[in-house]
Amino acid sequence: MSVDNRIASNRWLIAGGVLTAAAALLHLAVIAGGPDWYRFFGAGEEMARMAEQGSPRPAIVTLGIAAILATWSAYAFAGAGLIRRLPLMRTALVAIATIYLLRGLILAPLALFRPAAIDAFTLWSSLIVLGYGIAYAVGTWRAWPILSAARTR
């Protein structure tokens, strides 16, 4: 199997990229959906109230998150060989996987030390991003030799 075929067959990074792109689009939908969407998706009452008052801050923060997620999605697709290689590819993929995994694993110390802090949003969002982190971690691990080889070309 050629290097290009091995990269493009990395279903883990493709899945991570698709999931992260969907999360980016969801953040854009929250901006369009307004205060009720901020509440429903767990942004907090303060963000929802600011949106109700016409403050640009919730939209700016949410747009920033969407941009970061879109960038992370691009790194997953680049790691899978679907788009051109991006700068600091291996470093970025490891960092993204680590951030997702740490965010997902926050559930364990919360369950031990602050179980009352675990609401439905915290539970589900932690499990979801843990899945994202696993996709990025496994995909990066599988692509590592290819990403290393591509670096020297």
Side-chain angles (χ1 to χ4, degrees), residues 3 7 74-93 143-153:
V3 169
I7 291 174
Y75 270 94
F77 293 143
L82 299 180
I83 63 173
R84 70 174 179 80
R85 185 178 175 83
L86 297 173
L88 300 171
M89 180 79 95
R90 294 180 301 163
T91 303
L93 288 171
W144 196 261
I146 297 162
L147 294 173
S148 297
R151 194 175 129 214
T152 60
R153 284 195 246 162

Side-chain angles (χ1 to χ4, degrees), residues 83-150:
I83 63 173
R84 70 174 179 80
R85 185 178 175 83
L86 297 173
L88 300 171
M89 180 79 95
R90 294 180 301 163
T91 303
L93 288 171
V94 168
I96 294 164
T98 301
I99 291 166
Y100 273 141
L101 290 170
L102 288 174
R103 169 56 182 86
L105 293 172
I106 194 73
L107 204 53
L110 276 178
L112 289 174
F113 301 112
R114 294 190 56 217
I118 301 176
D119 57 9
F121 174 79
T122 303
L123 173 67
W124 287 109
S125 64
S126 294
L127 293 174
I128 289 166
V129 297
L130 183 60
Y132 287 25
I134 290 168
Y136 274 83
V138 172
T140 301
W141 175 72
R142 291 189 59 176
W144 196 261
I146 297 162
L147 294 173
S148 297

